[in-house]
Amino acid sequence: GSVVASYPYDDSPTHKPTGVYSKSADDEVFKYLAKAYASHHPIMRTGKPNCPGEEGETFQDGITNGAQWYDVEGGMQDYNYVWANCFEITLELSCCKYPPASQLQQEWENNRDSLLTFIEKV
């Protein structure tokens, strides 16, 4: 896991494992939506999730193009965009995929304003 808002494309023509910005036709819209979420999240907006084992990983403005971060061939985000004209971003909300129940209240507090802002964009 991490704490970042990722946007299409997750796949790139070269399929390099990382570092290839794969721009969609709606790149500016996706960046706008990702920033809308990230800018209201207290950790995400810093661009420094500080996840164990990935302490040096950073994301400008708390967002990333999927393929720039790591290439995912056949991902749902890209599939829905290409085949259903559905605009999706992927939200990585925690360094831990399954946070313990004791941390869920804090996760809600971290994400509440971001979720409301994102819903307003609809």
Side-chain angles (χ1 to χ4, degrees):
S2 192
V3 184
V4 65
S6 173
Y7 56 91
Y9 287 116
D10 284 334
D11 195 6
S12 69
T14 62
H15 302 297
K16 282 187 172 181
T18 187
V20 177
Y21 195 101
S22 191
K23 185 176 181 177
S24 74
D26 296 294
D27 194 63
E28 292 301 317
V29 174
F30 282 119
K31 286 195 288 191
Y32 172 77
L33 293 171
K35 282 182 185 180
Y37 194 97
S39 67
H40 289 85
H41 190 286
I43 298 168
M44 197 178 292
R45 71 175 166 226
T46 70
K48 299 175 185 173
N50 201 29
C51 292
E54 299 290 338
E55 290 85 0
E57 187 171 59
T58 61
F59 304 99
Q60 184 174 347
D61 299 322
I63 69 172
T64 189
N65 172 263
Q68 178 81 35
W69 185 20
Y70 66 91
D71 193 89
V72 175
E73 188 174 351
M76 186 64 88
Q77 177 173 265
D78 291 357
Y79 179 88
N80 286 337
Y81 174 58
V82 172
W83 297 105
N85 200 32
C86 182
F87 284 47
E88 294 182 13
I89 63 171
T90 297
L91 300 168
E92 299 274 343
L93 302 178
S94 173
C95 297
C96 175
K97 294 276 187 197
Y98 304 103
S102 63
Q103 292 179 4
L104 294 181
Q105 181 63 38
Q106 184 62 53
E107 290 298 333
W108 165 244
E109 291 172 16
N110 287 348
N111 288 281
R112 180 185 52 233
D113 291 343
S114 293
L115 286 166
L116 293 172
T117 298
F118 193 73
I119 289 168
E120 289 173 352
K121 300 306 174 196
V122 173

